[in-house]
Amino acid sequence: MKQLYNIDMEQTQYSKLLNELPVVDIVITMGCNVNCPYLPCKYREDWGLNDPTGKDEKTFRETISIIEQKILKLKSSIEKGSK
């Protein structure tokens, strides 16, 4: 993330308790064979991604690319008012 997008996840992201989250409109789960906690929302989508943990750099970059494509598609849907 840092090399591709200049985002230092270690500096900007941290684990939060569910009660620390604001009310959300959209919830995206990644799949990864993990059970995510339920969050009430207006729209929910699971992207069914494989967890790249322990894989090589190429696999991480492929996963990041898939996430980026899905984010752009979701953004477009929101802008068109279909989500």
Side-chain angles (χ1 to χ4, degrees):
M1 289 294 287
K2 190 172 184 179
Q3 294 139 338
L4 293 174
Y5 302 102
N6 201 28
I7 299 171
D8 188 345
M9 298 292 284
E10 292 178 6
Q11 296 295 318
T12 61
Q13 301 300 309
Y14 59 92
S15 296
K16 300 160 196 77
L17 298 174
L18 290 177
N19 64 358
E20 295 174 327
L21 297 175
V23 175
V24 295
D25 291 329
I26 298 173
V27 171
I28 302 298
T29 55
M30 297 290 160
C32 302
N33 299 317
V34 175
N35 289 326
C36 296
Y38 175 77
L39 289 173
C41 60
K42 294 179 183 175
Y43 179 78
R44 176 180 308 273
E45 193 171 297
D46 185 283
W47 289 349
L49 301 173
N50 291 320
D51 185 351
T53 300
K55 307 287 183 184
D56 60 18
E57 181 75 15
K58 180 178 181 265
T59 303
F60 270 92
R61 287 183 181 265
E62 289 170 353
T63 302
I64 289 169
S65 177
I66 292 168
I67 292 170
E68 180 179 23
Q69 292 168 24
K70 290 182 174 286
I71 288 170
L72 294 173
K73 182 179 176 187
L74 178 61
K75 178 181 182 255
S76 177
S77 294
I78 291 168
E79 291 172 344
K80 292 176 183 173
S82 59
K83 301 268 190 262

